[in-house]
Amino acid sequence: MMMFHHGYGIAGFFNSLLMIIMMALPLIILVWTAFYLFDRVNKKEPPIDSCSSTLDIRLARGEISIDEYRKLKNKNRATKPPAG
C-alpha cells in the first residue's frame, strides 16, 4: 500500500484552504462592488423640492396657516428671476 506523506500535516490542509479563500476573495469583492455601483446608479433620487412644493407640504401638515401660506407664496413669486 502506498502512503502519501509529504510532511505538511494539517498545515497542508490550511494552506490549501487559505489559497482557495485568497483566490475567491478578489472575485467576491469585484462582484460586490459591481452590484453596489449598479444599485446606486439605478436608484431614483427624490426630486429636489421647490419652494412652492415645500410650502404646499407645510400647509398640508398644518405647520403654517393659509394666510401665512399665501404671504410666502406671493413673496416667492416676487423673488423669482424672469425665465429665459
Side-chain angles (χ1 to χ4, degrees):
M1 181 164 214
M2 189 179 275
M3 293 246 173
F4 294 101
H5 185 277
H6 298 288
Y8 295 113
I10 195 74
F13 171 75
F14 286 118
N15 284 340
S16 299
L17 187 63
L18 183 63
M19 181 181 68
I20 291 169
I21 291 171
M22 294 306 284
M23 289 173 64
L25 192 62
L27 181 63
I28 291 169
I29 291 172
L30 183 67
V31 169
W32 178 81
T33 303
F35 276 111
Y36 176 76
L37 290 176
F38 284 120
D39 188 43
R40 285 187 62 191
V41 168
N42 291 333
K43 279 189 180 175
K44 300 290 182 192
E45 294 295 326
I48 298 173
D49 287 334
S50 65
C51 293
S52 61
S53 64
T54 303
L55 285 174
D56 293 341
I57 292 169
R58 289 184 65 196
L59 178 66
R61 289 182 184 161
E63 295 175 3
I64 58 175
S65 66
I66 293 175
D67 293 331
E68 190 175 0
Y69 172 81
R70 288 181 183 146
K71 182 176 79 170
L72 291 171
K73 190 99 167 176
N74 289 335
K75 183 179 179 184
N76 182 35
R77 285 186 190 144
T79 58
K80 278 190 178 178

